[in-house]
Amino acid sequence: SQTIHQWPATLVQPVGSPLSLECTVEGTSNPNLYWYRQAAGRGLQLLFYSVGIGQISSEVPQNLSASRPQDRQFILSSKKLLLSDSGFYLCAWSTGNNAGNEQFFGPGTRLTVL
Amino acid sequence: GQQLNQSPQSMFIQEGEDVSMNCTSSSIFNTWLWYKQDPGEGPVLLIALYKAGELTSNGRLTAQFGITRKDSFLNISASIPSDVGIYFCAGPGGSEKLVFGKGTKLTVNP
């Protein structure tokens, strides 16, 4: 069966510091991978998605970047964090060939920028 | 672009009551998905609907794919405290993406 991991689970960082969040998927190959941010416990904002190694699509111009160095690894980064980067970051995967684009989410990373 | 309107935004109910929420789209969908997010966790897929008019159950949850293909409904019967969370509807957003509703936050009073 497939599983998705995210780490760290929580992170407190000062403004201006770098960021690296990691997401890995097990039990599937060539998944589509997604990064979302959720502010104030409500809506899901798609930040980046990837349909293959080295392929990154950015949805919202911002202070963050994403990379996919391996088939089942997706990394969210920032060189200098802003206060507005605080939020709950969710990674998700899909098979890319299913009928409804069902996505399956990881447990999330709670980021607080002080 | 595609938009989903999900209502109500929040619900406060007593344990044992039934719950109903819905989602409407500005365009036709060929799939409707319903997720639940427990506090502090990632959303979990509850029900997937693939056919207009389809009615699918998962325990006390029942979801329907509207015949116009522009709406979907989720019902929860005999609510219990662990039903608390945020419920999201979602549909295909093009290019391997999903578009999500803004969520219905459910609070169940014991």
Side-chain angles (χ1 to χ4, degrees):
Chain A
S1 63
Q2 301 89 359
T3 55
I4 179 170
H5 304 279
Q6 287 186 245
W7 64 87
T10 59
L11 191 60
V12 179
Q13 291 285 95
V15 169
S17 64
L19 174 73
S20 181
L21 302 181
E22 189 165 345
C23 171
T24 58
V25 181
E26 297 176 356
T28 186
S29 57
N30 197 31
N32 291 342
L33 295 171
Y34 307 83
W35 278 113
Y36 290 86
R37 177 168 58 201
Q38 186 178 32
R42 291 309 296 266
L44 300 170
Q45 180 187 33
L46 180 63
L47 302 176
F48 302 94
Y49 71 100
S50 170
V51 299
I53 295 175
Q55 300 179 59
I56 307 294
S57 296
S58 174
E59 289 294 299
V60 182
Q62 57 202 311
N63 187 41
L64 302 169
S65 62
S67 62
R68 185 170 177 173
Q70 300 181 44
D71 181 43
R72 289 168 289 176
Q73 184 185 32
F74 206 22
I75 296 173
L76 184 68
S77 304
S78 174
K79 292 182 179 178
K80 289 185 178 182
L81 284 168
L82 306 172
L83 285 174
S84 58
D85 291 324
S86 292
F88 192 47
Y89 288 82
L90 290 158
C91 182
W93 71 273
S94 73
T95 62
N97 59 1
N98 56 52
N101 290 347
E102 294 126 328
Q103 293 179 16
F104 303 93
F105 287 84
T109 295
R110 173 77 59 190
L111 172 66
T112 303
V113 182
L114 302 174
Chain B
Q2 292 170 316
Q3 294 184 350
L4 294 185
N5 293 312
Q6 188 171 350
S7 65
Q9 283 191 335
S10 59
M11 302 182 73
F12 297 85
I13 63 170
Q14 294 296 125
E15 182 176 359
E17 291 182 357
D18 297 341
V19 172
S20 184
M21 60 190 79
N22 69 82
C23 207
T24 59
S25 168
S26 56
S27 56
I28 289 174
F29 278 1
N30 55 24
T31 303
W32 280 98
L33 306 174
W34 284 94
Y35 289 84
K36 182 198 176 191
Q37 184 178 28
D38 288 332
E41 299 183 15
V44 173
L45 181 63
L46 296 173
I47 293 177
L49 302 162
Y50 302 106
K51 191 176 175 181
E54 180 181 358
L55 188 71
T56 298
S57 294
N58 179 3
R60 293 177 296 105
L61 277 63
T62 302
Q64 184 164 21
F65 194 142
I67 57 173
T68 66
R69 297 172 63 191
K70 289 187 175 183
D71 56 6
S72 181
F73 306 86
L74 177 69
N75 297 314
I76 305 173
S77 62
S79 59
I80 59 178
S82 62
D83 290 332
V84 164
I86 303 176
Y87 293 80
F88 293 99
C89 60
S95 301
E96 309 289 346
K97 296 181 288 185
L98 288 176
V99 57
F100 286 86
K102 293 187 177 180
T104 295
K105 187 173 183 179
L106 179 63
T107 301
V108 180
N109 296 314

